[in-house]
Amino acid sequence: MNKVLLVDDEMYFRKGLRNLINWEDCGFNVVGEAANGEDALKMIHDLNPDLVITDIRMPVLDGIGLIKQAIEIEGIQTKFIIISGYSDFKYAQQALRYGVHDFVLKPIDQDEIEQTLRVLSKTLNEQKKLQDQRLEEQVKLVFHHLLSGEVEGNDSKDLLKFLSLGSPSEFFYLMVEVNGVYESSKIRQVKSTLADVIRNVCERKERICIQEISNGVLGVLITSNHLSRFQMSLKKLITWVRKELTNRIPKNFTFYVGEGVPSLSLLKDSYETVEKVQQHKYANNEDGLLFFEKIVDKPITFAELDETVYHPLIEQIEEESTSMILHSIDVLFQSLVSKKLSQTAVLATLTSFIQNVHKIITKMGGDPSSLQSYRVIFYLQNYPLTIPQIKELIIGFVVECKDEISNLRKQTANGEVHKIKQYIDLHYHENISLKIIASKFFMNPVYLGQLFKKTYGIYFKDYLLQVRINEAKKQLRQSEKRIYEIAESVGFNNTDYFVTIFGKLEKITPSEYRNKLINDRKVIKK
């Protein structure tokens, strides 16, 4: 809403003007009244109105004198509308020379002046929007130069003046994370609300410096000027700001506070300490407030966890062990936190895990990019998330991948089971088992066993033993190998076990089988 100041030496006229016009509908709010130009000039400095509606003839300082002093001498950008009972052309000429927006004669036509105000309000709003955009770009550029260390100490005074910061003795870089995946419009709402909260502890003219760093991350300039209401305690200020922000926007925020520096030109140093603090987000974050001075000496590990920490979870995804998956995810995240991993190490570990699962799907002929959870890596790398939020994403990812692997397995099962039979026929002499072959063909062992029995009418283990015994019988007929040599050649590591299985299937021992063959041949020769 644009602010308007009414100036006229007749009190009843000012009151009448207040009541005549629907100010809110016209886009204005009356912020004050003055009876002469001198008082009006002081109020312009104090209230910074967007529009001043003034009479011409007034005591002390008349309307034209007020406009000349404000616009020509002091360079004030306030718009002026003159309302006067005098139609003298010289007044209109002077008004035009000073850039007065309009010259309205009494008695006032309500419709006419309200239309004028609506048009002016629209123009002012557009100008403010453009001005805010320019200032936003300028502040963004200033932040960039400060955080890049491109500002010399001598330039600090000019920047302090540009930002209307006064003369603070200390400067702090504050980083605020809006944890979660949110639309840019919601982040802008947070930015605007955060500015309003900080403005409550600033001087009226002081510029609030907030920068959008990345998705859901804001950078804020805090100075010692902001601490006066909080017994000069930085912790009390930041705690209050976070509480106020959360009350207005109930989201999950994490605040990182850098080390104080004595000059604006050294803000880069404070920013670099914030980057160090940020690495402690998952390792040493107790209440969402992380101060450099309290974090700097706490332990942290930058190496990602070994792959063995999530191998059991990958096996359970492949085996469709739903009951164990959630437990393994709990164990994984407990390790990420308890081992004091840095933010970078946590994200690297989880990215490695996700990529390993994607490889399994790819090898099975699937397309990981078709999954709804495929963008989970993007979310991890590009949005600030809490451990519970990350965990929720990983659970969704794991469940979807488990279902995808199951579907892929069903699609290829009939063809694969024949390949598996062929594999057994060729590799029966090797150390193979249902679990080993299931892993090789990316199948669940239990499901493979059931599918094999359904397809061939025999259990996997019985078929493998049958193949081995048939090959052993062949060697007993065609070679002079010893029993233990034959046992080893067909895949039995234990000769006694071989003899037991042979006897169970053939109702005779290997030696008896060979002797019977020899005796049968002698009878034939006779």
Side-chain angles (χ1 to χ4, degrees), residues 355-382:
Q355 289 172 338
N356 272 276
V357 177
H358 281 169
K359 286 177 184 177
I360 293 172
I361 293 175
T362 301
K363 286 181 180 179
M364 293 181 70
D367 180 12
S369 65
S370 66
L371 302 176
Q372 289 186 351
S373 59
Y374 180 71
R375 286 171 60 83
V376 66
I377 291 181
F378 175 80
Y379 294 141
L380 290 179
Q381 301 292 347
N382 292 280

Side-chain angles (χ1 to χ4, degrees), residues 303-319:
E304 65 180 276
L305 293 182
D306 187 82
E307 292 185 1
T308 55
V309 76
Y310 53 74
H311 275 173
L313 178 55
I314 290 180
E315 289 180 3
Q316 289 154 12
I317 294 172
E318 293 181 275
E319 295 172 359

Side-chain angles (χ1 to χ4, degrees), residues 213-450:
I213 302 174
S214 57
N215 291 325
V217 183
L218 303 172
V220 187
L221 174 62
I222 298 294
T223 76
S224 54
N225 290 346
H226 301 149
L227 307 181
S228 58
R229 278 179 48 187
F230 302 90
Q231 297 79 50
M232 300 308 291
S233 168
L234 179 63
K235 183 177 181 180
K236 288 182 179 179
L237 166 68
I238 300 300
T239 302
W240 178 82
V241 169
R242 185 172 183 270
K243 181 180 178 181
E244 286 293 308
L245 181 62
T246 306
N247 286 341
R248 300 186 192 189
I249 302 180
K251 297 190 183 300
N252 192 300
F253 298 98
T254 303
F255 280 54
Y256 307 95
V257 187
E259 187 176 29
V261 293
S263 170
L264 189 59
S265 62
L266 298 175
L267 191 64
K268 178 187 177 184
D269 296 339
S270 184
Y271 170 70
E272 289 176 348
T273 62
V274 166
E275 289 185 314
K276 293 178 181 178
V277 173
Q278 197 176 19
Q279 290 296 331
H280 290 257
K281 179 176 183 177
Y282 305 129
N284 298 297
N285 182 4
E286 297 177 359
D287 56 4
L289 295 174
L290 290 89
F291 293 80
F292 175 75
E293 60 183 19
K294 295 185 179 297
I295 289 293
V296 62
D297 295 324
K298 290 193 174 182
I300 193 169
T301 301
F302 284 89
E304 65 180 276
L305 293 182
D306 187 82
E307 292 185 1
T308 55
V309 76
Y310 53 74
H311 275 173
L313 178 55
I314 290 180
E315 289 180 3
Q316 289 154 12
I317 294 172
E318 293 181 275
E319 295 172 359
E320 302 179 47
S321 301
T322 306
S323 60
M324 293 298 295
I325 283 176
L326 292 179
H327 172 71
S328 293
I329 291 176
D330 285 339
V331 172
L332 171 60
F333 276 84
Q334 286 169 10
S335 297
L336 294 175
V337 175
S338 64
K339 294 185 182 298
K340 299 294 183 181
L341 263 63
S342 67
Q343 183 183 51
T344 300
V346 167
L347 299 182
T349 300
L350 292 174
T351 299
S352 178
F353 160 69
I354 293 166
Q355 289 172 338
N356 272 276
V357 177
H358 281 169
K359 286 177 184 177
I360 293 172
I361 293 175
T362 301
K363 286 181 180 179
M364 293 181 70
D367 180 12
S369 65
S370 66
L371 302 176
Q372 289 186 351
S373 59
Y374 180 71
R375 286 171 60 83
V376 66
I377 291 181
F378 175 80
Y379 294 141
L380 290 179
Q381 301 292 347
N382 292 280
Y383 289 91
L385 303 167
T386 62
I387 282 291
Q389 288 170 340
I390 294 175
K391 189 175 179 180
E392 184 178 351
L393 282 175
I394 293 297
I395 289 174
F397 165 78
V398 167
V399 170
E400 187 178 18
C401 288
K402 177 184 73 68
D403 292 342
E404 177 68 8
I405 289 171
S406 177
N407 290 332
L408 290 170
R409 185 177 289 124
K410 289 176 182 177
Q411 292 172 15
T412 59
N414 290 330
E416 291 298 303
V417 74
H418 296 300
K419 292 180 182 179
I420 289 169
K421 182 176 179 294
Q422 292 174 356
Y423 184 87
I424 296 171
D425 293 341
L426 291 173
H427 299 272
Y428 62 86
H429 56 283
E430 299 175 6
N431 179 29
I432 58 176
S433 66
L434 181 63
K435 187 173 182 179
I436 290 173
I437 290 183
S439 176
K440 183 175 182 63
F441 285 84
F442 301 103
M443 298 181 74
N444 177 273
V446 175
Y447 177 74
L448 172 58
Q450 294 171 345

Side-chain angles (χ1 to χ4, degrees), residues 196-210:
D196 288 340
V197 170
I198 296 176
R199 190 170 287 110
N200 288 333
V201 296
C202 292
E203 292 293 331
R204 184 179 60 81
K205 294 181 180 180
E206 186 172 338
R207 191 174 305 286
I208 309 300
C209 300
I210 302 180

Side-chain angles (χ1 to χ4, degrees), residues 142 146 150-168 171 262-267:
V142 167
L146 286 170
E150 300 173 10
V151 177
E152 299 292 335
N154 294 334
D155 298 325
S156 291
K157 290 184 178 179
D158 292 335
L159 289 180
L160 288 172
K161 185 176 180 181
F162 167 70
L163 298 173
S164 304
L165 295 180
S167 301
F171 302 83
S263 170
L264 189 59
S265 62
L266 298 175
L267 191 64

Side-chain angles (χ1 to χ4, degrees), residues 6-11 13-14 34-36 55 58 83 106:
L6 306 181
V7 187
D8 196 294
D9 59 338
E10 295 183 16
M11 181 184 68
F13 178 78
R14 299 196 306 269
N36 60 70
D55 189 12
M58 296 180 296
I83 295 180
K106 298 177 182 178

Side-chain angles (χ1 to χ4, degrees), residues 4 64 185 189 241 377 452:
V4 59
I64 295 297
S185 60
Q189 178 192 5
V241 169
I377 291 181
F452 196 92

